Amino acid sequence: MNRNRSVSGDPYPNEYIEEIVLRDGTPLTLRPIRPEDAPLLQEAFTHLSPQTIYMRFLEIFKHLSDEQARFFANVDYHSKMALVGEIQEDGKERLVAVARYAMVGPQESGVAEAAIVVRDDFQNRGLGTIAMSRLLKYAQEHGVKEFLGTIHVSNARIMHFIRRGGYPFTKTMIEPGVWEIRVHLDEKPEQV
Ligand SMILES: CC(C)(COP(=O)(O)OP(=O)(O)OC[C@H]1O[C@@H](n2cnc3c(N)ncnc32)[C@H](O)[C@@H]1OP(=O)(O)O)[C@@H](O)C(=O)NCCC(=O)NCCS
């Protein structure tokens, strides 16, 4: 497989590969996902706490199947995109964050479902903020006008995150304990 082409043949967006340093000095690469990241996603999943898995997927499962990992690792870099945070650990590449969006489809033009997860031992170190800001910018450059998220009502951290982003949003209870959040990326963010 040519590492510079996606599965659909779209060119891999090399220009979005970025070397970053977390505020505690940890170096990390933020880059678009690749199909060959599937096993790394499965490995990363084994480091997530049940709480983190639940907040991300709103269900608990113990491992990411081969099929799920393939699904998550294959994007077209336009209607579906994912950025991963990669570190070197024990001489191996490891993924510690994934921020993704997927356009909902023609029935809701410009709307994309978005989600993010950061490995527990990397949380509260500023990584989620950086990954989400880069994903948001990429999304805006690719025609996304609204991020749609399903959030557990107890997820104070992601709500803090959304408020701090400054974009206007609406919140609807779609089932007991679950908010649907719509963040309007085409409106001017407030200074927060
Ligand atoms: C939500 C998540 C992605 C944030 O990533 P992160 O790398 O920890 O985020 P950051 O370190 O950049 O920022 C965390 C912010 O939350 C704040 N925070 C931490 N715990 C909090 C809490 N219980 N309530 C409110 N805010 C909280 C921190 O103070 C920080 O804000 P600040 O920078 O303004 O001080 C991460 O916690 C995660 O993976 N959670 C599980 C999955 C999830 O909930 N995904 C969202 C739904 S798809």
Side-chain angles (χ1 to χ4, degrees):
M1 159 85 61
N2 180 344
R3 280 170 73 88
N4 290 330
R5 292 202 91 74
S6 73
V7 76
S8 64
D10 287 337
Y12 182 80
N14 280 302
E15 65 277 24
Y16 289 91
I17 303 175
E18 190 184 346
E19 302 302 327
I20 60 172
V21 179
L22 299 183
R23 54 180 177 241
D24 61 8
T26 308
L28 190 140
T29 306
L30 199 61
R31 61 168 176 80
I33 204 163
R34 296 188 176 103
E36 53 270 45
D37 286 325
L40 292 184
L41 288 177
Q42 288 174 304
E43 195 284 331
F45 195 86
T46 66
H47 295 277
L48 301 181
S49 66
Q51 163 84 358
T52 288
I53 293 171
Y54 189 73
M55 289 300 164
R56 164 62 182 87
F57 297 98
L58 297 181
E59 59 180 298
I60 290 285
F61 43 101
K62 291 222 166 70
H63 69 278
L64 213 52
S65 69
D66 290 349
E67 193 187 343
Q68 286 171 312
R70 261 198 309 275
F71 174 79
F72 284 130
N74 282 277
V75 298
D76 61 11
Y77 306 107
H78 183 80
S79 69
K80 277 173 93 176
M81 173 61 175
L83 289 172
V84 293
E86 181 192 287
I87 56 161
Q88 292 291 320
E89 199 170 54
D90 304 328
K92 294 189 181 120
E93 284 176 5
R94 300 273 194 229
L95 301 186
V96 293
V98 185
R100 63 173 58 247
Y101 76 74
M103 296 270 212
V104 169
Q107 71 278 18
E108 283 204 84
S109 171
V111 179
E113 278 193 60
I116 181 166
V117 65
V118 172
R119 206 173 83 177
D120 289 69
D121 55 337
F122 274 75
Q123 290 178 10
N124 280 318
R125 295 162 69 176
L127 177 53
T129 302
I130 299 173
M132 193 41 102
S133 76
R134 301 305 191 271
L135 184 76
L136 195 147
K137 183 166 171 285
Y138 189 98
Q140 287 171 320
E141 289 167 2
H142 290 79
V144 177
K145 301 198 171 357
E146 189 172 294
F147 267 172
L148 175 66
T150 37
I151 309 286
H152 195 268
V153 290
S154 69
N155 200 340
R157 200 180 304 186
I158 196 71
M159 286 313 299
H160 169 81
F161 223 72
I162 292 167
R163 287 202 182 88
R164 200 186 45 185
Y167 285 94
F169 67 91
T170 54
K171 204 165 84 158
T172 314
M173 182 85 67
I174 51 166
E175 58 182 86
V178 180
W179 292 116
E180 180 186 87
I181 311 278
R182 288 175 177 263
V183 184
H184 306 294
L185 305 183
D186 53 349
E187 294 179 30
K188 207 170 150 23
E190 282 173 25
Q191 294 296 326
V192 272

